[in-house]
C-alpha cells in the first residue's frame, strides 16, 4: 500500500493532543489556548483589513500552523471550539480525544481570546468588517461552505493529530494549518468568508456590532454540524481507533471518495471564485487529505496515480479488481464535489477544454507531461524504499499541483487527474464538448501514469535489487 512503509519510519514527535498535553496543568493549557486563539484572530483581522487578497489566506494558515507547533505540546493546539467539540465527541464515542469538561473550558477561553483579538485589530486599523455571506450568496451557500470545510478541518485534526496510524508524525501542524489555505479566502472564503471557527465568528461579529450582529450564531451551528460529520467520517475511515478492525475495503474506498471529493470541491470553488492563487489552494487541499488519509488508502485521489502504482507493481495488494474500485470511488467523489460547488454557485459551472489560442494537441502534450511529473513524484517520495520521505511526501506531491496548474493552466486548465476531468465535465452537464474533452483528458492522464511507472522502474531499479537481497538473506 502507498505510504505503508512509513509505519516503520523512526519518528520522535508525539502528535496526539491528548498525549502531548498530558503533563501540563489546566492553567497552562488554557493560557496556551488563549494566546494561540488571540494571535489567530489578530492575523485574520489584520489580513482582511489590509486587503491582502493574494497572500491573506496563506498568512492566516501559517499563523495557525506556527501556533499549533508552538503550543500543541501544552494544550493540544485546538484554538477553535469546533475542534475542541469534535475531540470531545470522539472521546465520548470511544475514540481518541478530550473530555467534554475540558473542551468546554477550552471553548470559553477561545471565544474570549477571539473577541480580544478582534478588538485589537479593530483598534490597530481603526476599522472593522462584518460577518455575513458574500453578496449574491444565501445562508444555504454559506452553510455548505462552513459545514464542508469545518468538517475537513476537524477531520484532518483527528487523522493527523489523534489517529493511532499517524502517531508521532512531524507533519501534523503543516497539515492542519494548510486546511485554512485550502478553504480560506481562495475557495470557500469567496462565499462565506471562510470562518470555520466559532471563536472567529464571535470575535468578528461582536467587534462589528455597529454593522449588525447575529450571523455568528448561525455560523457556529454550521461549524458544529461540520465537527459532528468529521467525527462520524473519522470513525468510518479509522474504525481501529474506536475498537474496530483496520483495513476494511469500505474504509479504504471511503477514504478515496472523501479525498477526491474535497480536492474537486476546492478546485471548483477556486475557479468559480476566480481566486488570485487558486493553484496553491487546490494543492493545499490535496496535501491535507494526503497526510490525513495516506495511512488508510494510500491517498491516491487520482486514477492516474492508481494506474501508475498498479503498473509499477510496487503495491502487491493493489489487484486489478481493487484498482478498479479505487478509480470508481475517486470518480464518484469528484462528481460529488463538482455538484456541490455548482450548487453553491446556483448551478453555474465552467467548461473543460483547451484555453484560448490552444488546441487539443497542446492539451494532450501539457497534460501528459505534468501528470507524468505528478505520478513520478508520488512513486518516488511515497512508494520507493530508497527515496520515500515520511515527512515531506504530502507537500512534495501537492506541490506538483501548484507547479502544473500554474504552468499549463492557460493551456488545459491543469487537471492532471481523470477524476477531476470527469467531475468538471459532470458539473457542466457534458455541454460544450465537455464529454469529448473528458475522454481526451482521461486518456492523456492515464497514459502519463503508465509512463511514470515505466520511468520509475528504470530510475529506481535499486528498489527491486534491494528486495532480492533481503529475500536471499
Amino acid at each position: 500500500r502507498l505510504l505503508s512503509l512509513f509505519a516503520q519510519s523512526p519518528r520522535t514527535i508525539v502528535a496526539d493532543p491528548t498525549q502531548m498535553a498530558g503533563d501540563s496543568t489546566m492553567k497552562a493549557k488554557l493560557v496556551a489556548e488563549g494566546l494561540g486563539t488571540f494571535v489567530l484572530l489578530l492575523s485574520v483581522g489584520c489580513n482582511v483589513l489590509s486587503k491582502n487578497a493574494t497572500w491573506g489566506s496563506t498568512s492566516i494558515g501559517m499563523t495557525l500552523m506556527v501556533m499549533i507547533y508552538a503550543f500543541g505540546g501544552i494544550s493540544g493546539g485546538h484554538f477553535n471550539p469546533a475542534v475542541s467539540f469534535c475531540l470531545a465527541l470522539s472521546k465520548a464515542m470511544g475514540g481518541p480525544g478530550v473530555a467534554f469538561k475540558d473542551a468546554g473550558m477550552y471553548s470559553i477561553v477561545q471565544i474570549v481570546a477571539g473577541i480580544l483579538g478582534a478588538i485589537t485589530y479593530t483598534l490597530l486599523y481603526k476599522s472593522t468588517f462584518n460577518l455575513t455571506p458574500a453578496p449574491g450568496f444565501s445562508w444555504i451557500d454559506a452553510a455548505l461552505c462552513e459545514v464542508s470545510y469545518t468538517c475537513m478541518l476537524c477531520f484532518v485534526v483527528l487523522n493527523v493529530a489523534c489517529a493511532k496510524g499517524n502517531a508521532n508524525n512531524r507533519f501534523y501542524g503543516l497539515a492542519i494549518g494548510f486546511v485554512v489555505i485550502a478553504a480560506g479566502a481562495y475557495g470557500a472564503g469567496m462565499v462565506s468568508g471562510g470562518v470555520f471557527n466559532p471563536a472567529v465568528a464571535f470575535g468578528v461579529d461582536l467587534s462589528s456590532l455597529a454593522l449588525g450582529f447575529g450571523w455568528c450564531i448561525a455560523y457556529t451551528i454550521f461549524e458544529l454540524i461540520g465537527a459532528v460529520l468529521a467525527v462520524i467520517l473519522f470513525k468510518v475511515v479509522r474504525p481501529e481507533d474506536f475498537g474496530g478492525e483496520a483495513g476494511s475495503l469500505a474504509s479504504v474506498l471511503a477514504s478515496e471518495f472523501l479525498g477526491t471529493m474535497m480536492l474537486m470541491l476546492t478546485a471548483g470553488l477556486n475557479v468559480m471564485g476566480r481566486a488570485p492563487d487558486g493553484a496553491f489552494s487546490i494543492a493545499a487541499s490535496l496535501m491535507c487529505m494526503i497526510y490525513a488519509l495516506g495511512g488508510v488508502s494510500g491517498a491516491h485521489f487520482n486514477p492516474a496515480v492508481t494506474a501508475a502504482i498498479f503498473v509499477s507493481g510496487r503495491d502487491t495488494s493493489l489487484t486489478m479488481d481493487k484498482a478498479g474500485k479505487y478509480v470508481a470511488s475517486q470518480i464518484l467523489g469528484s462528481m460529488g464535489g463538482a455538484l456541490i460547488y455548482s450548487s453553491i454557485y446556483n448551478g453555474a459551472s465552467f467548461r473543460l477544454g483547451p484555453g484560448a489560442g490552444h488546441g487539443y494537441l497542446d492539451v494532450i502534450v501539457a497534460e501528459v507531461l505534468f501528470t507524468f511529473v505528478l505520478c513520478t513524484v508520488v512513486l518516488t517520495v511515497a512508494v520507493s524504499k530508497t527515496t520515500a520521505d515520511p515527512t515531506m511526501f504530502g507537500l512534495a506531491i501537492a506541490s506538483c499541483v501548484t507547479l502544473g496548474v500554474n504552468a499549463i493552466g492557460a493551456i488545459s486548465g491543469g487537471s492532471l487527474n481523470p477524476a477531476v476531468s470527469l467531475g468538471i465535465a459532470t458539473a457542466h452537464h457534458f455541454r460544450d464538448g465537455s464529454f469529448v474533452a473528458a475522454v481526451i483528458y482521461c486518456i492523456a492522464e492515464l497514459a502519463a501514469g503508465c509512463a511514470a511507472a515505466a520511468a520509475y522502474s528504470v530510475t529506481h531499479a535499486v528498489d527491486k535489487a534491494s528486495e532480492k537481497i533481503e529475500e536471499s538473506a
Side-chain angles (χ1 to χ4, degrees), residues 444-462:
E445 292 153 357
L446 289 171
C450 295
Y456 170 79
S457 68
V458 176
T459 61
H460 284 65
V462 64

Side-chain angles (χ1 to χ4, degrees), residues 209-236:
L209 282 172
L211 302 176
F213 177 81
W215 276 106
C216 63
I217 306 297
Y219 273 56
T220 296
I221 293 172
F222 303 153
E223 289 149 7
L224 293 179
I225 291 172
V228 172
L229 288 175
V231 178
I232 295 171
L233 294 173
F234 177 57
K235 188 173 183 178
V236 169

Side-chain angles (χ1 to χ4, degrees), residues 232-250:
I232 295 171
L233 294 173
F234 177 57
K235 188 173 183 178
V236 169
V237 299
R238 293 190 186 268
E240 68 273 19
D241 283 280
F242 294 83
E245 293 187 7
S248 72
L249 184 61

Side-chain angles (χ1 to χ4, degrees), residues 249 252-253 256-257 260 300-308 310 318-335 417-420 422 442 446:
L249 184 61
V252 167
L253 298 182
E256 288 297 306
F257 177 91
T260 315
H300 301 191
F301 311 147
N302 185 336
V305 169
T306 300
F310 175 74
L318 188 64
T319 62
M320 183 173 290
D321 177 66
K322 189 175 181 180
K325 291 175 180 176
Y326 264 54
V327 170
S329 297
Q330 292 156 1
I331 291 172
L332 289 173
S334 180
M335 288 179 172
N417 184 333
V420 169
L422 287 168
C442 288
L446 289 171

Side-chain angles (χ1 to χ4, degrees), residues 277-442:
D277 198 358
F280 192 40
S281 171
I282 298 164
S285 71
L286 177 60
M287 186 195 77
C288 298
M289 298 306 281
I290 287 174
Y291 281 134
L293 295 170
V296 178
S297 67
H300 301 191
F301 311 147
N302 185 336
V305 169
T306 300
I309 295 169
F310 175 74
V311 173
S312 74
R314 302 305 300 151
D315 183 355
T316 56
S317 70
L318 188 64
T319 62
M320 183 173 290
D321 177 66
K322 189 175 181 180
K325 291 175 180 176
Y326 264 54
V327 170
S329 297
Q330 292 156 1
I331 291 172
L332 289 173
S334 180
M335 288 179 172
L339 293 175
I340 294 173
Y341 79 68
S342 180
S343 66
I344 289 171
Y345 276 86
N346 299 313
S349 60
F350 52 93
R351 174 180 170 272
L352 177 71
H358 296 281
Y360 275 107
L361 180 59
D362 299 331
V363 166
I364 291 170
V365 172
E367 289 291 319
V368 166
L369 288 174
F370 286 90
T371 306
F372 173 86
V373 171
L374 171 63
C375 293
T376 298
V377 171
V378 170
L379 290 169
T380 53
V381 305
V383 177
S384 169
K385 288 186 176 181
T386 305
T387 57
D389 190 313
T391 298
M392 302 306 293
F393 64 97
L395 180 59
I397 295 167
S399 294
C400 294
V401 174
T402 305
L403 161 68
V405 175
N406 279 311
I408 62 170
I411 299 173
S412 66
S415 172
L416 317 180
N417 184 333
V420 169
S421 298
L422 287 168
I424 294 170
T426 299
H428 203 58
H429 302 293
F430 296 100
R431 299 189 306 265
D432 303 325
S434 287
F435 177 76
V436 173
V439 172
I440 293 172
Y441 276 63
C442 288

Side-chain angles (χ1 to χ4, degrees), residues 38 112 131 138 148 158 165 196 200 213 269 278 313 376 393 425:
F38 174 85
V112 172
L131 178 67
S138 69
S148 297
L158 288 165
F196 325 126
V200 174
F213 177 81
L269 289 176
T376 298
F393 64 97

